Amino acid sequence: MRIERVDEKTVKCFLSNEELEEYEIDYKDFVMRSEKAKEVVQEIIEHATEEVGYKPPKFAFDLQIMMVPDQGLVLTFSEKDPDVRDGEQLIECLKEMKRILQKTKDIAGQLPTEAKSAGEAEKSEKQETPARPDYAVFAFSSLRNVMNYAVALPANLRVDSELYEMDGLYYLYLGKGHASYERYSRACIQALEFAALYAAEESRILQLKEHGICLIAEKAVRKLRG
């Protein structure tokens, strides 16, 4: 369990696949807020309080779940900020995923960061901030949650959307479509109130389309609004 203090109100915890097996838990438990997941969350908060001085909100906090392919999960605890106006949170998720994957590649045999030339290090630093994501997939624990999310979105939001079912969960693909990036970003951030970020990379989306059941092939958000 690796805990990192992001700021005064935010802390991240990385759970490896080995630790998830030890706890006998996976991302579905966190998405569906099972009793087992609540116990693990409480344990993480206690560790965060001891290790990095984290002070959880008195009443409630946001829990964001991000899957890191072949590595584990990143759980982010933070106070809800109603004034967020752009895609910063989603971009931070992508940056965290990229950082962990890059670290794994270095360990697997690539040149370690300290051995790179100054030019390579500068190039790597420039590439650290990913381009603005224009699509993502969110995992919902129930169809009702998907519908509640769809109803909460503006009626004139022109995003691309598809709905899938796989392993008892519902996955909503959300693409920028013809919406402005600001409105699309808000929709992604709002999705995190109802679901967990499942993927924001093409390979994971292709895997979902191959193994999942497509329930609504296009304009899913509009159709779910009724």
Side-chain angles (χ1 to χ4, degrees):
M1 181 183 298
R2 188 172 73 250
I3 296 176
E4 175 185 346
R5 183 71 174 269
V6 179
D7 55 39
E8 183 180 352
K9 298 181 179 180
T10 308
V11 66
K12 290 183 180 181
C13 176
F14 173 70
L15 291 174
S16 66
N17 284 332
E18 291 75 14
E19 289 171 320
L20 292 173
E21 291 180 5
E22 183 178 342
Y23 282 116
E24 297 182 347
I25 199 171
D26 60 24
Y27 79 97
K28 296 179 190 175
D29 291 287
F30 291 104
V31 171
M32 294 186 286
R33 304 294 194 267
S34 70
E35 289 300 320
K36 188 182 297 184
K38 292 178 182 178
E39 293 176 3
V40 174
V41 166
Q42 184 59 42
E43 182 178 335
I44 292 173
I45 291 176
E46 292 175 359
H47 279 289
T49 301
E50 295 176 1
E51 296 179 18
V52 297
Y54 175 62
K55 296 181 180 180
K58 293 182 179 180
F59 302 103
F61 57 81
D62 283 342
L63 173 61
Q64 297 177 15
I65 310 121
M66 182 184 72
M67 295 184 63
V68 183
D70 303 320
Q71 300 299 312
L73 295 177
V74 174
L75 305 178
T76 302
F77 303 84
S78 62
E79 290 188 32
K80 184 177 179 181
D81 182 1
D83 296 326
V84 173
R85 298 180 60 83
D86 56 29
E88 182 179 351
Q89 291 183 17
L90 186 60
I91 292 176
E92 284 301 316
C93 284
L94 296 179
K95 287 172 66 177
E96 179 70 10
M97 180 182 288
K98 180 178 179 180
R99 183 181 68 80
I100 294 173
L101 292 177
Q102 186 59 52
K103 182 177 180 180
T104 303
K105 290 179 181 178
D106 288 342
I107 294 175
Q110 290 189 357
L111 289 175
T113 303
E114 58 268 24
K116 294 179 180 179
S117 66
E120 290 175 319
E122 182 180 355
K123 181 179 180 181
S124 176
E125 184 176 352
K126 290 181 179 179
Q127 293 176 341
E128 185 66 24
T129 302
R132 286 181 169 185
D134 57 5
Y135 58 85
V137 177
F138 298 91
F140 293 76
S141 60
S142 68
L143 186 58
R144 178 178 294 276
N145 284 347
V146 186
M147 296 175 69
N148 288 340
Y149 168 62
V151 171
L153 293 175
N156 61 349
L157 184 64
R158 298 185 299 167
V159 294
D160 295 330
S161 55
E162 304 167 13
L163 183 64
Y164 296 84
E165 181 182 5
M166 184 173 69
D167 298 331
L169 294 178
Y170 296 88
Y171 298 83
L172 183 68
Y173 168 88
L174 200 65
K176 177 180 174 297
H178 296 290
S180 67
Y181 192 79
E182 180 181 0
R183 299 193 76 194
Y184 170 70
S185 299
R186 289 182 183 180
C188 288
I189 293 171
Q190 195 166 358
L192 295 174
E193 299 178 11
F194 297 85
L197 176 63
Y198 171 74
E201 56 166 343
E202 187 175 1
S203 61
R204 299 284 293 175
I205 294 174
L206 291 176
Q207 181 181 0
L208 173 64
K209 291 184 177 182
E210 180 179 354
H211 299 287
I213 300 173
C214 181
L215 301 180
I216 304 178
E218 60 180 10
K219 299 181 180 179
V221 169
R222 180 179 299 180
K223 293 175 181 178
L224 288 167
R225 289 179 60 88

